[in-house]
Amino acid sequence: RNLMIDLNTMKEDKFTGMMRDYYVTYRDSLVTTQQFRKMTEKHLGMDMGWFFDQWVYGTEIPSYKYCYVANPTPDGKYRVTFKVKQNDVSEGFQMYVPLLIDFGENRQARLRVLVKGPLTELELPLMPLKPKDIEFNPYQSVLCRQDKEDF
């Protein structure tokens, strides 16, 4: 569900469409986890083996420590470097985690970042304003432990 939410509108049409398709396709049938995986792959358009291995068949729960720094660019925008340390899971563990970027005065942006391996460091898209705060996993849609730390 977390991967299917439209972060611009917060609509869940993709998820409800998948569930409707799942219901119509398998109504009155015994269904396997593999069939559910195929349905999610059909609607997401990507291989979901990693997700099912980690979150359905696996038992690991990641711990995240994150930080960021925003630096001005010559053209008046802000370059944000975002770092996430991932612990308590195997080295190849990965997850797409939403971010809520708060610019103040009811101005926000949302995006997803792929956290993979012990350290993920990435540059977010250029920001028009300096973020007042960036919230990691704001909807608590990823099962994890998390903590913010200084850059």
PDB file of all heavy atoms in Angstrom, residues 39-70:
ATOM      1  N   MET A  39      -0.184 -10.385  -8.525  1.00  0.00           N
ATOM      2  CA  MET A  39      -1.160  -9.289  -8.654  1.00  0.00           C
ATOM      3  C   MET A  39      -0.501  -7.952  -8.301  1.00  0.00           C
ATOM      4  O   MET A  39      -0.717  -6.947  -8.990  1.00  0.00           O
ATOM      5  CB  MET A  39      -2.374  -9.548  -7.761  1.00  0.00           C
ATOM      6  CG  MET A  39      -3.485  -8.534  -7.897  1.00  0.00           C
ATOM      7  SD  MET A  39      -4.297  -8.473  -9.519  1.00  0.00           S
ATOM      8  CE  MET A  39      -5.133 -10.060  -9.572  1.00  0.00           C
ATOM      9  N   THR A  40       0.308  -7.912  -7.245  1.00  0.00           N
ATOM     10  CA  THR A  40       0.982  -6.656  -6.885  1.00  0.00           C
ATOM     11  C   THR A  40       1.966  -6.252  -7.978  1.00  0.00           C
ATOM     12  O   THR A  40       2.073  -5.069  -8.315  1.00  0.00           O
ATOM     13  CB  THR A  40       1.713  -6.742  -5.527  1.00  0.00           C
ATOM     14  OG1 THR A  40       2.731  -7.721  -5.581  1.00  0.00           O
ATOM     15  CG2 THR A  40       0.756  -7.045  -4.394  1.00  0.00           C
ATOM     16  N   GLU A  41       2.669  -7.223  -8.551  1.00  0.00           N
ATOM     17  CA  GLU A  41       3.618  -6.916  -9.628  1.00  0.00           C
ATOM     18  C   GLU A  41       2.905  -6.373 -10.859  1.00  0.00           C
ATOM     19  O   GLU A  41       3.396  -5.442 -11.514  1.00  0.00           O
ATOM     20  CB  GLU A  41       4.426  -8.170  -9.980  1.00  0.00           C
ATOM     21  CG  GLU A  41       5.384  -8.566  -8.882  1.00  0.00           C
ATOM     22  CD  GLU A  41       6.113  -9.857  -9.121  1.00  0.00           C
ATOM     23  OE1 GLU A  41       5.658 -10.688  -9.944  1.00  0.00           O
ATOM     24  OE2 GLU A  41       7.156 -10.055  -8.472  1.00  0.00           O
ATOM     25  N   LYS A  42       1.738  -6.924 -11.153  1.00  0.00           N
ATOM     26  CA  LYS A  42       0.944  -6.442 -12.286  1.00  0.00           C
ATOM     27  C   LYS A  42       0.585  -4.969 -12.100  1.00  0.00           C
ATOM     28  O   LYS A  42       0.699  -4.163 -13.028  1.00  0.00           O
ATOM     29  CB  LYS A  42      -0.328  -7.287 -12.408  1.00  0.00           C
ATOM     30  CG  LYS A  42      -1.323  -6.796 -13.431  1.00  0.00           C
ATOM     31  CD  LYS A  42      -2.577  -7.664 -13.406  1.00  0.00           C
ATOM     32  CE  LYS A  42      -3.693  -7.053 -14.240  1.00  0.00           C
ATOM     33  NZ  LYS A  42      -4.932  -7.833 -14.135  1.00  0.00           N
ATOM     34  N   HIS A  43       0.191  -4.588 -10.895  1.00  0.00           N
ATOM     35  CA  HIS A  43      -0.281  -3.220 -10.655  1.00  0.00           C
ATOM     36  C   HIS A  43       0.843  -2.233 -10.361  1.00  0.00           C
ATOM     37  O   HIS A  43       0.676  -1.034 -10.602  1.00  0.00           O
ATOM     38  CB  HIS A  43      -1.337  -3.220  -9.550  1.00  0.00           C
ATOM     39  CG  HIS A  43      -2.640  -3.754 -10.024  1.00  0.00           C
ATOM     40  ND1 HIS A  43      -3.642  -2.954 -10.516  1.00  0.00           N
ATOM     41  CD2 HIS A  43      -3.090  -5.031 -10.128  1.00  0.00           C
ATOM     42  CE1 HIS A  43      -4.660  -3.713 -10.900  1.00  0.00           C
ATOM     43  NE2 HIS A  43      -4.351  -4.973 -10.671  1.00  0.00           N
ATOM     44  N   LEU A  44       1.963  -2.719  -9.847  1.00  0.00           N
ATOM     45  CA  LEU A  44       3.097  -1.827  -9.602  1.00  0.00           C
ATOM     46  C   LEU A  44       4.035  -1.755 -10.806  1.00  0.00           C
ATOM     47  O   LEU A  44       4.814  -0.813 -10.932  1.00  0.00           O
ATOM     48  CB  LEU A  44       3.889  -2.282  -8.374  1.00  0.00           C
ATOM     49  CG  LEU A  44       3.391  -1.755  -7.044  1.00  0.00           C
ATOM     50  CD1 LEU A  44       4.078  -2.459  -5.894  1.00  0.00           C
ATOM     51  CD2 LEU A  44       3.593  -0.260  -6.940  1.00  0.00           C
ATOM     52  N   GLY A  45       4.004  -2.787 -11.645  1.00  0.00           N
ATOM     53  CA  GLY A  45       4.885  -2.804 -12.808  1.00  0.00           C
ATOM     54  C   GLY A  45       6.337  -3.074 -12.456  1.00  0.00           C
ATOM     55  O   GLY A  45       7.230  -2.605 -13.155  1.00  0.00           O
ATOM     56  N   MET A  46       6.553  -3.800 -11.372  1.00  0.00           N
ATOM     57  CA  MET A  46       7.929  -4.122 -10.969  1.00  0.00           C
ATOM     58  C   MET A  46       7.969  -5.448 -10.223  1.00  0.00           C
ATOM     59  O   MET A  46       6.957  -5.887  -9.674  1.00  0.00           O
ATOM     60  CB  MET A  46       8.527  -3.012 -10.107  1.00  0.00           C
ATOM     61  CG  MET A  46       7.803  -2.771  -8.795  1.00  0.00           C
ATOM     62  SD  MET A  46       8.357  -1.308  -7.883  1.00  0.00           S
ATOM     63  CE  MET A  46       9.770  -1.921  -7.018  1.00  0.00           C
ATOM     64  N   ASP A  47       9.132  -6.081 -10.223  1.00  0.00           N
ATOM     65  CA  ASP A  47       9.332  -7.328  -9.486  1.00  0.00           C
ATOM     66  C   ASP A  47       9.237  -7.038  -7.992  1.00  0.00           C
ATOM     67  O   ASP A  47       9.889  -6.128  -7.488  1.00  0.00           O
ATOM     68  CB  ASP A  47      10.699  -7.916  -9.827  1.00  0.00           C
ATOM     69  CG  ASP A  47      11.013  -9.173  -9.037  1.00  0.00           C
ATOM     70  OD1 ASP A  47      10.077  -9.924  -8.700  1.00  0.00           O
ATOM     71  OD2 ASP A  47      12.206  -9.412  -8.756  1.00  0.00           O
ATOM     72  N   MET A  48       8.411  -7.795  -7.297  1.00  0.00           N
ATOM     73  CA  MET A  48       8.228  -7.586  -5.861  1.00  0.00           C
ATOM     74  C   MET A  48       8.819  -8.724  -5.032  1.00  0.00           C
ATOM     75  O   MET A  48       8.501  -8.860  -3.848  1.00  0.00           O
ATOM     76  CB  MET A  48       6.739  -7.421  -5.548  1.00  0.00           C
ATOM     77  CG  MET A  48       6.132  -6.154  -6.140  1.00  0.00           C
ATOM     78  SD  MET A  48       6.898  -4.652  -5.538  1.00  0.00           S
ATOM     79  CE  MET A  48       6.336  -4.648  -3.857  1.00  0.00           C
ATOM     80  N   GLY A  49       9.686  -9.534  -5.639  1.00  0.00           N
ATOM     81  CA  GLY A  49      10.314 -10.636  -4.916  1.00  0.00           C
ATOM     82  C   GLY A  49      11.023 -10.172  -3.660  1.00  0.00           C
ATOM     83  O   GLY A  49      10.904 -10.791  -2.599  1.00  0.00           O
ATOM     84  N   TRP A  50      11.782  -9.088  -3.774  1.00  0.00           N
ATOM     85  CA  TRP A  50      12.507  -8.550  -2.610  1.00  0.00           C
ATOM     86  C   TRP A  50      11.546  -8.220  -1.477  1.00  0.00           C
ATOM     87  O   TRP A  50      11.836  -8.478  -0.311  1.00  0.00           O
ATOM     88  CB  TRP A  50      13.322  -7.305  -3.002  1.00  0.00           C
ATOM     89  CG  TRP A  50      12.465  -6.166  -3.475  1.00  0.00           C
ATOM     90  CD1 TRP A  50      12.039  -5.922  -4.754  1.00  0.00           C
ATOM     91  CD2 TRP A  50      11.877  -5.133  -2.674  1.00  0.00           C
ATOM     92  NE1 TRP A  50      11.233  -4.803  -4.797  1.00  0.00           N
ATOM     93  CE2 TRP A  50      11.115  -4.294  -3.529  1.00  0.00           C
ATOM     94  CE3 TRP A  50      11.920  -4.829  -1.319  1.00  0.00           C
ATOM     95  CZ2 TRP A  50      10.420  -3.188  -3.075  1.00  0.00           C
ATOM     96  CZ3 TRP A  50      11.219  -3.717  -0.872  1.00  0.00           C
ATOM     97  CH2 TRP A  50      10.482  -2.907  -1.746  1.00  0.00           C
ATOM     98  N   PHE A  51      10.388  -7.631  -1.806  1.00  0.00           N
ATOM     99  CA  PHE A  51       9.420  -7.232  -0.785  1.00  0.00           C
ATOM    100  C   PHE A  51       8.838  -8.464  -0.083  1.00  0.00           C
ATOM    101  O   PHE A  51       8.776  -8.520   1.146  1.00  0.00           O
ATOM    102  CB  PHE A  51       8.306  -6.393  -1.414  1.00  0.00           C
ATOM    103  CG  PHE A  51       7.266  -5.968  -0.428  1.00  0.00           C
ATOM    104  CD1 PHE A  51       7.433  -4.803   0.298  1.00  0.00           C
ATOM    105  CD2 PHE A  51       6.141  -6.743  -0.195  1.00  0.00           C
ATOM    106  CE1 PHE A  51       6.480  -4.410   1.242  1.00  0.00           C
ATOM    107  CE2 PHE A  51       5.188  -6.363   0.733  1.00  0.00           C
ATOM    108  CZ  PHE A  51       5.363  -5.196   1.462  1.00  0.00           C
ATOM    109  N   PHE A  52       8.403  -9.433  -0.847  1.00  0.00           N
ATOM    110  CA  PHE A  52       7.813 -10.629  -0.252  1.00  0.00           C
ATOM    111  C   PHE A  52       8.846 -11.413   0.547  1.00  0.00           C
ATOM    112  O   PHE A  52       8.539 -11.927   1.627  1.00  0.00           O
ATOM    113  CB  PHE A  52       7.134 -11.486  -1.321  1.00  0.00           C
ATOM    114  CG  PHE A  52       5.766 -10.968  -1.671  1.00  0.00           C
ATOM    115  CD1 PHE A  52       5.615  -9.857  -2.483  1.00  0.00           C
ATOM    116  CD2 PHE A  52       4.628 -11.558  -1.162  1.00  0.00           C
ATOM    117  CE1 PHE A  52       4.365  -9.348  -2.793  1.00  0.00           C
ATOM    118  CE2 PHE A  52       3.364 -11.072  -1.454  1.00  0.00           C
ATOM    119  CZ  PHE A  52       3.233  -9.953  -2.266  1.00  0.00           C
ATOM    120  N   ASP A  53      10.079 -11.499   0.050  1.00  0.00           N
ATOM    121  CA  ASP A  53      11.135 -12.193   0.806  1.00  0.00           C
ATOM    122  C   ASP A  53      11.361 -11.531   2.165  1.00  0.00           C
ATOM    123  O   ASP A  53      11.522 -12.208   3.179  1.00  0.00           O
ATOM    124  CB  ASP A  53      12.455 -12.202   0.025  1.00  0.00           C
ATOM    125  CG  ASP A  53      12.420 -13.136  -1.166  1.00  0.00           C
ATOM    126  OD1 ASP A  53      11.496 -13.983  -1.253  1.00  0.00           O
ATOM    127  OD2 ASP A  53      13.311 -13.012  -2.036  1.00  0.00           O
ATOM    128  N   GLN A  54      11.369 -10.215   2.197  1.00  0.00           N
ATOM    129  CA  GLN A  54      11.657  -9.474   3.432  1.00  0.00           C
ATOM    130  C   GLN A  54      10.448  -9.348   4.355  1.00  0.00           C
ATOM    131  O   GLN A  54      10.552  -9.551   5.562  1.00  0.00           O
ATOM    132  CB  GLN A  54      12.153  -8.058   3.094  1.00  0.00           C
ATOM    133  CG  GLN A  54      13.484  -8.024   2.413  1.00  0.00           C
ATOM    134  CD  GLN A  54      13.849  -6.643   1.919  1.00  0.00           C
ATOM    135  OE1 GLN A  54      14.904  -6.476   1.377  1.00  0.00           O
ATOM    136  NE2 GLN A  54      13.012  -5.641   2.083  1.00  0.00           N
ATOM    137  N   TRP A  55       9.305  -8.943   3.812  1.00  0.00           N
ATOM    138  CA  TRP A  55       8.173  -8.540   4.628  1.00  0.00           C
ATOM    139  C   TRP A  55       7.100  -9.611   4.813  1.00  0.00           C
ATOM    140  O   TRP A  55       6.304  -9.529   5.739  1.00  0.00           O
ATOM    141  CB  TRP A  55       7.538  -7.274   4.059  1.00  0.00           C
ATOM    142  CG  TRP A  55       8.477  -6.116   4.094  1.00  0.00           C
ATOM    143  CD1 TRP A  55       9.207  -5.615   3.057  1.00  0.00           C
ATOM    144  CD2 TRP A  55       8.825  -5.323   5.228  1.00  0.00           C
ATOM    145  NE1 TRP A  55       9.976  -4.567   3.474  1.00  0.00           N
ATOM    146  CE2 TRP A  55       9.761  -4.358   4.814  1.00  0.00           C
ATOM    147  CE3 TRP A  55       8.438  -5.340   6.574  1.00  0.00           C
ATOM    148  CZ2 TRP A  55      10.314  -3.421   5.670  1.00  0.00           C
ATOM    149  CZ3 TRP A  55       8.982  -4.392   7.426  1.00  0.00           C
ATOM    150  CH2 TRP A  55       9.904  -3.452   6.973  1.00  0.00           C
ATOM    151  N   VAL A  56       7.070 -10.617   3.944  1.00  0.00           N
ATOM    152  CA  VAL A  56       6.078 -11.683   4.086  1.00  0.00           C
ATOM    153  C   VAL A  56       6.735 -12.938   4.663  1.00  0.00           C
ATOM    154  O   VAL A  56       6.270 -13.496   5.650  1.00  0.00           O
ATOM    155  CB  VAL A  56       5.385 -11.992   2.738  1.00  0.00           C
ATOM    156  CG1 VAL A  56       4.425 -13.164   2.870  1.00  0.00           C
ATOM    157  CG2 VAL A  56       4.653 -10.752   2.219  1.00  0.00           C
ATOM    158  N   TYR A  57       7.837 -13.364   4.048  1.00  0.00           N
ATOM    159  CA  TYR A  57       8.508 -14.578   4.494  1.00  0.00           C
ATOM    160  C   TYR A  57       9.565 -14.309   5.559  1.00  0.00           C
ATOM    161  O   TYR A  57       9.919 -15.197   6.316  1.00  0.00           O
ATOM    162  CB  TYR A  57       9.154 -15.299   3.305  1.00  0.00           C
ATOM    163  CG  TYR A  57       8.172 -15.634   2.214  1.00  0.00           C
ATOM    164  CD1 TYR A  57       8.280 -15.073   0.943  1.00  0.00           C
ATOM    165  CD2 TYR A  57       7.110 -16.499   2.446  1.00  0.00           C
ATOM    166  CE1 TYR A  57       7.373 -15.372  -0.060  1.00  0.00           C
ATOM    167  CE2 TYR A  57       6.190 -16.806   1.450  1.00  0.00           C
ATOM    168  CZ  TYR A  57       6.334 -16.239   0.198  1.00  0.00           C
ATOM    169  OH  TYR A  57       5.432 -16.538  -0.785  1.00  0.00           O
ATOM    170  N   GLY A  58      10.089 -13.092   5.629  1.00  0.00           N
ATOM    171  CA  GLY A  58      11.140 -12.747   6.581  1.00  0.00           C
ATOM    172  C   GLY A  58      10.587 -12.172   7.877  1.00  0.00           C
ATOM    173  O   GLY A  58       9.390 -11.893   8.001  1.00  0.00           O
ATOM    174  N   THR A  59      11.484 -11.978   8.829  1.00  0.00           N
ATOM    175  CA  THR A  59      11.077 -11.468  10.148  1.00  0.00           C
ATOM    176  C   THR A  59      11.886 -10.257  10.596  1.00  0.00           C
ATOM    177  O   THR A  59      11.725  -9.791  11.712  1.00  0.00           O
ATOM    178  CB  THR A  59      11.219 -12.570  11.216  1.00  0.00           C
ATOM    179  OG1 THR A  59      12.585 -13.009  11.252  1.00  0.00           O
ATOM    180  CG2 THR A  59      10.302 -13.743  10.928  1.00  0.00           C
ATOM    181  N   GLU A  60      12.751  -9.737   9.729  1.00  0.00           N
ATOM    182  CA  GLU A  60      13.601  -8.614  10.131  1.00  0.00           C
ATOM    183  C   GLU A  60      12.802  -7.311  10.189  1.00  0.00           C
ATOM    184  O   GLU A  60      11.907  -7.075   9.378  1.00  0.00           O
ATOM    185  CB  GLU A  60      14.752  -8.446   9.134  1.00  0.00           C
ATOM    186  CG  GLU A  60      15.675  -9.640   9.070  1.00  0.00           C
ATOM    187  CD  GLU A  60      16.741  -9.474   8.003  1.00  0.00           C
ATOM    188  OE1 GLU A  60      16.374  -9.271   6.828  1.00  0.00           O
ATOM    189  OE2 GLU A  60      17.919  -9.533   8.357  1.00  0.00           O
ATOM    190  N   ILE A  61      13.155  -6.479  11.151  1.00  0.00           N
ATOM    191  CA  ILE A  61      12.574  -5.144  11.275  1.00  0.00           C
ATOM    192  C   ILE A  61      13.736  -4.161  11.321  1.00  0.00           C
ATOM    193  O   ILE A  61      14.562  -4.209  12.233  1.00  0.00           O
ATOM    194  CB  ILE A  61      11.700  -5.015  12.536  1.00  0.00           C
ATOM    195  CG1 ILE A  61      10.530  -5.998  12.454  1.00  0.00           C
ATOM    196  CG2 ILE A  61      11.202  -3.580  12.698  1.00  0.00           C
ATOM    197  CD1 ILE A  61       9.690  -6.059  13.702  1.00  0.00           C
ATOM    198  N   PRO A  62      13.823  -3.258  10.341  1.00  0.00           N
ATOM    199  CA  PRO A  62      14.963  -2.342  10.293  1.00  0.00           C
ATOM    200  C   PRO A  62      14.904  -1.249  11.358  1.00  0.00           C
ATOM    201  O   PRO A  62      13.834  -0.855  11.816  1.00  0.00           O
ATOM    202  CB  PRO A  62      14.851  -1.731   8.893  1.00  0.00           C
ATOM    203  CG  PRO A  62      13.398  -1.800   8.566  1.00  0.00           C
ATOM    204  CD  PRO A  62      12.883  -3.042   9.233  1.00  0.00           C
ATOM    205  N   SER A  63      16.082  -0.793  11.726  1.00  0.00           N
ATOM    206  CA  SER A  63      16.253   0.413  12.540  1.00  0.00           C
ATOM    207  C   SER A  63      16.933   1.433  11.648  1.00  0.00           C
ATOM    208  O   SER A  63      17.945   1.123  11.003  1.00  0.00           O
ATOM    209  CB  SER A  63      17.142   0.137  13.757  1.00  0.00           C
ATOM    210  OG  SER A  63      16.506  -0.749  14.626  1.00  0.00           O
ATOM    211  N   TYR A  64      16.370   2.639  11.595  1.00  0.00           N
ATOM    212  CA  TYR A  64      16.901   3.695  10.748  1.00  0.00           C
ATOM    213  C   TYR A  64      17.343   4.875  11.608  1.00  0.00           C
ATOM    214  O   TYR A  64      16.642   5.276  12.523  1.00  0.00           O
ATOM    215  CB  TYR A  64      15.837   4.201   9.771  1.00  0.00           C
ATOM    216  CG  TYR A  64      15.325   3.189   8.788  1.00  0.00           C
ATOM    217  CD1 TYR A  64      13.976   2.861   8.740  1.00  0.00           C
ATOM    218  CD2 TYR A  64      16.178   2.576   7.872  1.00  0.00           C
ATOM    219  CE1 TYR A  64      13.484   1.950   7.812  1.00  0.00           C
ATOM    220  CE2 TYR A  64      15.697   1.670   6.950  1.00  0.00           C
ATOM    221  CZ  TYR A  64      14.351   1.359   6.923  1.00  0.00           C
ATOM    222  OH  TYR A  64      13.869   0.466   6.002  1.00  0.00           O
ATOM    223  N   LYS A  65      18.498   5.430  11.272  1.00  0.00           N
ATOM    224  CA  LYS A  65      18.935   6.717  11.801  1.00  0.00           C
ATOM    225  C   LYS A  65      19.170   7.590  10.580  1.00  0.00           C
ATOM    226  O   LYS A  65      19.897   7.205   9.669  1.00  0.00           O
ATOM    227  CB  LYS A  65      20.209   6.574  12.625  1.00  0.00           C
ATOM    228  CG  LYS A  65      19.961   5.860  13.932  1.00  0.00           C
ATOM    229  CD  LYS A  65      21.148   5.970  14.854  1.00  0.00           C
ATOM    230  CE  LYS A  65      20.770   5.269  16.153  1.00  0.00           C
ATOM    231  NZ  LYS A  65      21.637   5.571  17.233  1.00  0.00           N
ATOM    232  N   TYR A  66      18.542   8.742  10.574  1.00  0.00           N
ATOM    233  CA  TYR A  66      18.624   9.584   9.386  1.00  0.00           C
ATOM    234  C   TYR A  66      19.031  11.004   9.752  1.00  0.00           C
ATOM    235  O   TYR A  66      18.860  11.456  10.881  1.00  0.00           O
ATOM    236  CB  TYR A  66      17.284   9.589   8.633  1.00  0.00           C
ATOM    237  CG  TYR A  66      16.172  10.291   9.357  1.00  0.00           C
ATOM    238  CD1 TYR A  66      15.857  11.614   9.061  1.00  0.00           C
ATOM    239  CD2 TYR A  66      15.439   9.655  10.351  1.00  0.00           C
ATOM    240  CE1 TYR A  66      14.840  12.271   9.725  1.00  0.00           C
ATOM    241  CE2 TYR A  66      14.414  10.305  11.013  1.00  0.00           C
ATOM    242  CZ  TYR A  66      14.124  11.612  10.701  1.00  0.00           C
ATOM    243  OH  TYR A  66      13.117  12.265  11.365  1.00  0.00           O
ATOM    244  N   CYS A  67      19.569  11.684   8.754  1.00  0.00           N
ATOM    245  CA  CYS A  67      19.942  13.090   8.912  1.00  0.00           C
ATOM    246  C   CYS A  67      19.994  13.725   7.527  1.00  0.00           C
ATOM    247  O   CYS A  67      19.999  13.034   6.515  1.00  0.00           O
ATOM    248  CB  CYS A  67      21.281  13.225   9.626  1.00  0.00           C
ATOM    249  SG  CYS A  67      22.662  12.458   8.773  1.00  0.00           S
ATOM    250  N   TYR A  68      20.024  15.036   7.507  1.00  0.00           N
ATOM    251  CA  TYR A  68      20.100  15.739   6.232  1.00  0.00           C
ATOM    252  C   TYR A  68      20.733  17.102   6.453  1.00  0.00           C
ATOM    253  O   TYR A  68      20.787  17.619   7.573  1.00  0.00           O
ATOM    254  CB  TYR A  68      18.711  15.890   5.595  1.00  0.00           C
ATOM    255  CG  TYR A  68      17.787  16.780   6.377  1.00  0.00           C
ATOM    256  CD1 TYR A  68      17.711  18.145   6.133  1.00  0.00           C
ATOM    257  CD2 TYR A  68      16.981  16.252   7.391  1.00  0.00           C
ATOM    258  CE1 TYR A  68      16.864  18.963   6.865  1.00  0.00           C
ATOM    259  CE2 TYR A  68      16.125  17.064   8.123  1.00  0.00           C
ATOM    260  CZ  TYR A  68      16.074  18.412   7.853  1.00  0.00           C
ATOM    261  OH  TYR A  68      15.249  19.220   8.578  1.00  0.00           O
ATOM    262  N   VAL A  69      21.208  17.680   5.368  1.00  0.00           N
ATOM    263  CA  VAL A  69      21.718  19.043   5.377  1.00  0.00           C
ATOM    264  C   VAL A  69      21.267  19.708   4.082  1.00  0.00           C
ATOM    265  O   VAL A  69      21.232  19.080   3.028  1.00  0.00           O
ATOM    266  CB  VAL A  69      23.265  19.084   5.528  1.00  0.00           C
ATOM    267  CG1 VAL A  69      23.963  18.454   4.336  1.00  0.00           C
ATOM    268  CG2 VAL A  69      23.751  20.493   5.769  1.00  0.00           C
ATOM    269  N   ALA A  70      20.864  20.980   4.173  1.00  0.00           N
ATOM    270  CA  ALA A  70      20.423  21.751   3.010  1.00  0.00           C
ATOM    271  C   ALA A  70      21.410  22.880   2.769  1.00  0.00           C
ATOM    272  O   ALA A  70      21.674  23.679   3.673  1.00  0.00           O
ATOM    273  CB  ALA A  70      19.021  22.303   3.249  1.00  0.00           C
TER     274      ALA A  70
END
